[in-house]
Amino acid sequence: MSEHAERFAPLYGSDRPEEAQRSSFRDGAFPVAVYGLGKMGLPIAGVFGETTGAVTGVDIDESVVEGINDGECHVRNEPGLDDLVADLVDDGSLRATTDAVGAAEDARIHVVIVPTLITEDHQPDTSVVTSVARDIAEGLAPGDLVCVESTLPPGTCRDVLAPLLRYESGLEADEFGLAFCPERTSSGRALADVRGAHPKVVGGDDAESTRAAALVYDELTTNEVIPVSDTTTAEAVKVFEGLYRDVNIALANELARFTDELGIDVREAIDVANTQPYCDIHDPGPGVGGHCIPYYPYFMLNWLETPAPLLASARSVNDATPVHVVDLLEARLEERDGTLGGSTVVVLGLTYRAGVAETRASPAIDICRTLDDRGATVYASDPLVDAEGVPATWVHPEEVGAIDADAVVLATDHDEFDAIDWRSFPSSTVLIDTRDVLDSDRLGRDVYVVGRGA
């Protein structure tokens, strides 16, 4: 084999020395296509780009593609991502396209990072992932490697994607690689996470897929790469991480409900309990939001046949927590001879987490809806998103103090709310803090903190 042919030999199924394969990967001899350029996909494409110098990003949104090709980053509040995208596009290491099939034909490594959806009745919907898989199959060649980073119900690669890729491409199982390599990233720190904040998990459809995927991600990350037995095990790892957090947060949220009856600071009790090395109770709050934790339980509950009553109970507790927050507010108003119906309430924050422009499953929105259902006039303030589709009037954070509010609920602790003059509210205004960030002594007024009390 000539030196040129050897350098461009496929990664999957290659008998070349490992270091030669690593060198070819770093030199861009295995062009990479990243399917999905959202808030996780673009950082992943960026790290592949800085590692290999040969990445094509694929997205269905033409404005996203045009912006990236102009060196612009549409993902907000990700440190370093703006500059990285601009630099990679400028030196030709990254380009974007809406032509998934064309990108697949040019690539040797295919990275899938599109969402797995949930239907209105909480059924997992893998249609976006399978659509991308069909596009990849049209361009799939012997020796290609498909790495799926999208979170999936356990068994999806084995039972859905592997057969689909074989059927649509006409290739046999041993002619291409398939591995599940879950993203383990958080908004606001995506680049750091992809580059190596956490160990990278890889599980292949066969041993060679695992080997090839482990080699790829070992070049991307400064952290450990953990190979697991197969794709289903890797899928379970990712889902189990989310399930643990959902159940743990449900425990914390349920414990917080004992605050008034026991007359104690439940958060203090949790903090001290956690000094025991086998205890790690999370913090209570207004509920659970985002595109991950509220959805992953349904990857088990409504995908597999084995009953999971604990997961279902945890979901019920967390889903009901925004209503509990409104119950606390209503009780505080009644203590002051007020009523929730006809009152004016300001909700601070609509996103599910501070600093992140994401409202999916946000408990803050459920708080607004419950307040509206009970007859309150609702104003909502968030520095990152407006109140479109929410039964509330949006106001700028600087205008919050001018509202004659009967109550204020801090649902999301954005830094921008630090500038609010809390003393401008009448002493009769009820303050509910769901995030434990308001100090009643510093504010010089009564604050009800979820899990601490008044």
Side-chain angles (χ1 to χ4, degrees):
M1 180 182 296
S2 69
E3 181 179 342
H4 176 81
E6 185 174 290
R7 178 173 179 270
F8 288 92
L11 178 62
Y12 176 86
S14 174
D15 58 1
R16 296 172 63 214
E18 180 179 293
E19 187 49 48
Q21 295 178 58
R22 290 178 180 272
S23 178
S24 292
F25 174 70
R26 292 191 299 267
D27 290 344
F30 307 123
V32 179
V34 176
Y35 304 85
L37 296 174
K39 63 182 182 178
M40 295 304 160
L42 186 56
I44 288 169
V47 176
F48 268 100
E50 68 182 3
T51 304
T52 70
V55 173
T56 299
V58 181
D59 202 276
I60 61 173
D61 190 327
E62 292 183 1
S63 64
V64 166
V65 167
E66 291 173 1
I68 291 172
N69 285 332
D70 287 336
E72 300 171 358
C73 175
H74 66 283
V75 179
R76 301 167 62 187
N77 299 321
E78 283 296 347
L81 187 58
D82 287 13
D83 291 339
L84 179 60
V85 169
D87 291 344
L88 292 175
V89 171
D90 184 60
D91 68 18
S93 298
L94 171 66
R95 71 178 185 91
T97 181
T98 58
D99 182 7
V101 175
E105 291 172 346
D106 294 336
R108 301 314 308 264
I109 297 173
H110 311 266
V111 180
V112 181
I113 179 63
V114 294
T116 301
L117 306 175
I118 293 290
T119 64
E120 289 187 3
D121 59 349
H122 297 135
Q123 300 297 319
D125 178 2
T126 61
S127 60
V128 178
V129 177
T130 54
S131 176
V132 170
R134 288 189 175 90
D135 290 335
I136 292 172
E138 286 196 46
L140 200 64
D144 281 6
L145 173 67
V146 180
C147 297
V148 182
E149 296 217 11
S150 306
T151 305
L152 298 172
T156 302
C157 280
R158 178 192 63 203
D159 300 334
V160 178
L161 296 185
L164 186 154
L165 288 168
R166 291 196 300 269
Y167 178 79
E168 297 286 346
S169 69
L171 298 177
E172 297 296 329
D174 60 356
E175 291 187 276
F176 67 93
L178 171 63
F180 187 75
C181 316
E183 57 90 3
R184 306 176 95 185
T185 56
S186 297
S187 295
R189 47 167 301 131
L191 282 180
D193 288 344
V194 176
R195 287 167 174 158
H198 313 291
K200 185 66 178 182
V201 177
V202 300
D205 194 46
D206 54 22
E208 175 59 11
S209 296
T210 302
R211 182 205 68 81
L215 184 151
V216 166
Y217 285 99
D218 192 46
E219 291 297 317
L220 255 66
T221 179
T222 58
N223 211 314
E224 177 185 10
V225 175
I226 304 177
V228 298
S229 300
D230 49 38
T231 55
T232 303
T233 302
E235 290 164 336
V237 168
K238 173 63 177 184
V239 173
F240 287 3
E241 292 171 3
L243 299 183
Y244 166 77
R245 294 178 65 191
D246 196 45
V247 171
N248 198 320
I249 295 170
L251 172 61
N253 285 336
E254 190 157 284
L255 293 178
R257 298 187 183 193
F258 295 118
T259 300
D260 293 335
E261 182 177 353
L262 293 176
I264 67 169
D265 183 337
V266 167
R267 288 178 184 264
E268 177 190 7
I270 289 173
D271 289 343
V272 177
N274 285 345
T275 63
Q276 211 275 0
Y278 302 110
C279 188
D280 184 21
I281 304 172
H282 288 0
D283 294 327
V288 179
H291 64 288
C292 298
I293 298 175
Y295 299 114
Y296 294 170
Y298 300 112
F299 290 6
M300 309 292 283
L301 291 167
N302 294 335
W303 185 266
L304 306 176
E305 295 182 359
T306 303
L310 176 62
L311 302 183
S313 294
R315 273 289 77 226
S316 296
V317 169
N318 287 330
D319 282 344
T321 299
V323 177
H324 174 63
V325 171
V326 176
D327 289 341
L328 290 172
L329 170 58
E330 188 166 27
R332 298 287 290 171
L333 285 170
E334 291 174 352
E335 287 175 3
R336 304 182 184 195
D337 297 324
T339 60
L340 183 56
S343 65
T344 298
V345 182
V346 177
V347 176
L348 298 179
L350 288 173
T351 66
Y352 83 97
R353 184 157 69 85
V356 178
E358 172 64 74
T359 59
R360 271 184 288 184
S362 174
I365 293 177
D366 287 334
I367 289 172
C368 290
R369 288 172 176 157
T370 304
L371 289 168
D372 180 69
D373 288 343
R374 296 190 186 180
T377 298
V378 186
Y379 291 87
S381 181
D382 193 293
L384 301 181
V385 299
D386 60 29
E388 183 179 359
V390 181
T393 301
W394 185 88
V395 292
H396 192 279
E398 294 180 357
E399 301 171 333
V400 168
I403 297 174
D404 185 17
D406 298 296
V408 179
V409 179
L410 180 67
T412 312
D413 50 333
H414 290 299
D415 290 342
E416 288 82 354
F417 296 144
D418 292 344
I420 290 175
D421 181 8
W422 296 96
R423 298 175 190 271
S424 67
F425 293 105
S427 59
S428 59
T429 301
V430 174
L431 302 183
I432 303 290
D433 176 8
T434 71
R435 300 290 185 170
D436 191 24
V437 295
L438 300 181
D439 185 335
S440 60
D441 291 335
R442 181 174 63 84
L443 297 180
R445 60 178 303 143
D446 181 35
V447 178
Y448 189 98
V449 179
V450 171
R452 292 199 191 280

